[in-house]
Amino acid sequence: MKKELSKETLINHNSYTPPAGFRSYAEPVYRGSTILFRNLKELRARFGLNRDGYAYGLHGTPTTYTLEAQLAAIEGGNHALLVSSGLSAISLVDLAFLKTGDDMLIPDNAYNPTQDMGRWLARDFGISVRFYDPMIGAGIAGLIQENTKLIWTEVPGSITMEVPDLPAISRAAHAKGVVVALDNTWSAGLVYDGFAHGADVIVQAVTKYQGGASDLLMGAVIMKDGDLFRKVGMARMRLGMGVGADDVAMVLRSLPTMKLRFDRTGASSLIVADWLKSRPEVDKILHPAYPDCPGHEFFKRDFTGTGGLFSFVFHEKYTGEQIDRFIESLTLFGLGYSWGGTHSLAVPYAISDKRINWKLPQKHVVRLYIGLDDPQDLIADLEQAMAKM
Ligand SMILES: *Cc1c(COP(=O)(O)O)cnc(C)c1O
């Protein structure tokens, strides 16, 4: 009979328990697929959606629960669920609330992959998807059908930045029992109270300001109501959506500075936008904080601050090639998707002919994200690039 464990067995079982009482500001990183139970009774009792314990690494660890609680608190909600990207948070909401035969409404200025997900559900899954004018307000009541189950909103909309009247849309939706989902990524949940303005479910692309360094992807769905949480939570479990603890730890490290970063990018964006507005080449500033921006009155009414992402349009006489030359002449602004990190970014977008309520003759907009660079350096960069147009 063998008395002692072999070396390979020995090193496979960690028998050391460190002394209790260690405290630090850093959240511990708990990694785990397998979560150990003390006995069969405990194993048989666990259910992945309950947040008072642990069932399987996919469904949650102390590390992921901590970030979920933080994100829920920022938004004024009671529950949050982490997923692998902002887009997967959006898809999760679609799959949680829609089935074949249902109808969904999406604003036609929504994040393009949100619209594309809707088109896929319509084409292959028997769900009716209709696109609406983001400035429709209370008029949305006229679009709600018997089978309408979900209305998406974005405040402000991606790229063209219209600020919708979410309270009016939500009142009309709730009068007919329709769930209102809000993509609140622009404000990071810091300066727009989505639940107070009528959203039932809020989505964040944690990739943006929460991650804060352009080095990870994550999304979150946030809810106030326990029944909605269980509905979205069951869909998340069935789809097998989860996140890695190391990425979560990086977000937890960035989160305490998020408001400082957000406010700084917002203040710098106004300095850059003011300069753009003074230029003869520029026609309109599509920044929610500017009167040029459709829905500016709702920004003034509903927001308590501003972020650093906005768009502008050149005068009509400038061609797409000239605008491309302007973009490619920029040196401090990176050319790339996503935003919310420390670096400034610029992307040109073509406006779709299908837009319901695009009133300008221009078909091109430039979207800028103002990072933590000195705005005067960014202005100098924009000026030299305009000279090359
Ligand atoms: C970036 C973005 C998303 C998607 O986030 P990812 O993490 O990149 O998938 C969703 N909505 C809005 C408004 C965004 O800007």
Side-chain angles (χ1 to χ4, degrees):
M1 269 300 266
K2 211 159 170 287
K3 282 202 301 293
E4 287 188 355
L5 293 173
S6 302
K7 296 275 188 219
E8 65 244 57
T9 307
L10 200 64
I11 60 173
N12 198 27
H13 294 261
N14 194 346
S15 59
Y16 176 73
T17 306
F22 177 85
R23 293 176 69 225
S24 131
Y25 283 117
E27 282 307 316
V29 182
Y30 290 94
R31 298 191 189 89
S33 49
T34 299
I35 288 163
L36 292 171
F37 301 98
R38 273 179 293 251
N39 51 52
L40 278 173
K41 182 164 179 270
E42 209 178 64
L43 179 144
R44 288 177 180 134
R46 288 306 314 163
F47 176 60
L49 208 53
N50 291 351
R51 288 297 186 260
D52 58 357
Y54 310 97
Y56 187 53
L58 184 63
H59 309 317
T61 65
T63 313
T64 62
Y65 286 0
T66 303
L67 181 56
E68 286 178 346
Q70 288 275 74
L71 295 176
I74 291 168
E75 214 81 46
N78 297 314
H79 312 275
L81 293 158
L82 298 176
V83 292
S84 58
S85 66
L87 180 56
S88 62
I90 291 160
S91 309
L92 173 61
V93 169
D94 284 351
L95 294 175
F97 291 105
L98 298 169
K99 61 180 187 318
T100 302
D102 287 346
D103 174 64
M104 158 165 73
L105 291 164
I106 301 176
D108 80 347
N109 63 349
Y111 181 61
N112 199 49
T114 303
Q115 302 191 38
D116 184 60
M117 176 69 188
R119 287 188 201 98
W120 188 39
L121 292 173
R123 198 189 64 211
D124 289 356
F125 297 88
I127 288 163
S128 146
V129 175
R130 291 173 297 145
F131 296 92
Y132 70 90
D133 171 2
M135 301 316 294
I136 197 167
I140 195 108
L143 293 180
I144 297 174
Q145 302 171 168
E146 203 57 39
N147 62 341
T148 305
K149 292 289 155 57
L150 182 62
I151 298 177
W152 272 104
T153 58
E154 251 181 58
V155 186
S158 289
I159 322 296
T160 50
M161 299 286 157
E162 296 87 346
V163 184
D165 185 352
L166 180 59
I169 291 173
S170 299
R171 273 192 298 275
H174 294 156
K176 298 193 176 155
V178 180
V179 171
V180 176
L182 163 67
D183 184 335
N184 203 19
T185 302
W186 190 87
S187 84
L190 294 171
V191 296
Y192 187 77
D193 187 339
F195 290 122
H197 293 112
D200 302 302
V201 178
I202 293 177
V203 158
Q204 282 289 341
V206 176
T207 307
K208 308 288 168 54
Y209 281 113
Q210 291 84 350
S214 315
D215 59 356
L216 60 85
L217 287 146
M218 200 179 294
V221 184
I222 300 144
M223 288 127 308
K224 225 169 178 161
D225 179 86
D227 290 336
L228 295 183
F229 163 69
R230 277 180 285 281
K231 198 158 190 168
V232 180
M234 284 309 297
R236 177 180 177 273
M237 263 211 288
R238 287 166 177 149
L239 291 164
M241 290 177 165
V243 293
D246 293 291
D247 281 347
V248 173
M250 298 226 284
V251 177
L252 286 169
R253 197 168 189 271
S254 285
L255 220 47
T257 62
M258 178 166 75
K259 183 72 164 65
L260 280 175
R261 290 182 281 108
F262 179 89
D263 288 344
R264 176 59 193 255
T265 67
S268 296
S269 79
L270 296 179
I271 293 169
V272 173
D274 280 345
W275 179 82
L276 286 168
K277 186 74 190 165
S278 77
R279 294 291 303 195
E281 296 92 339
V282 173
D283 184 17
K284 294 269 186 309
I285 306 292
L286 301 179
H287 189 312
Y290 270 68
D292 292 356
C293 190
H296 173 63
E297 63 272 29
F298 305 125
F299 176 83
K300 282 195 292 184
R301 185 188 67 187
D302 298 340
F303 278 75
T304 57
T306 184
L309 183 76
F310 72 99
S311 300
F312 70 94
V313 286
F314 282 107
H315 275 290
E316 219 185 325
K317 69 172 182 186
Y318 291 98
T319 63
E321 289 95 83
Q322 281 176 299
I323 296 169
D324 287 356
R325 205 174 313 139
F326 162 77
I327 296 281
E328 292 198 322
S329 303
L330 293 165
T331 59
L332 280 179
F333 286 87
L335 177 59
Y337 293 113
S338 209
W339 49 277
T342 66
H343 294 92
S344 303
L345 299 163
V347 183
Y349 286 92
I351 303 295
S352 158
D353 293 333
K354 299 201 182 89
R355 284 296 305 270
I356 300 164
N357 194 11
W358 178 252
K359 297 211 164 73
L360 300 176
Q362 289 94 329
K363 290 290 171 198
H364 301 275
V365 309
V366 175
R367 189 183 75 175
L368 298 180
Y369 170 66
I370 305 302
L372 298 182
D373 305 291
D374 182 331
Q376 297 308 326
D377 290 336
L378 296 175
I379 287 169
D381 192 27
L382 293 164
E383 188 164 25
Q384 66 78 25
M386 277 186 196
K388 299 203 172 99
M389 262 167 80

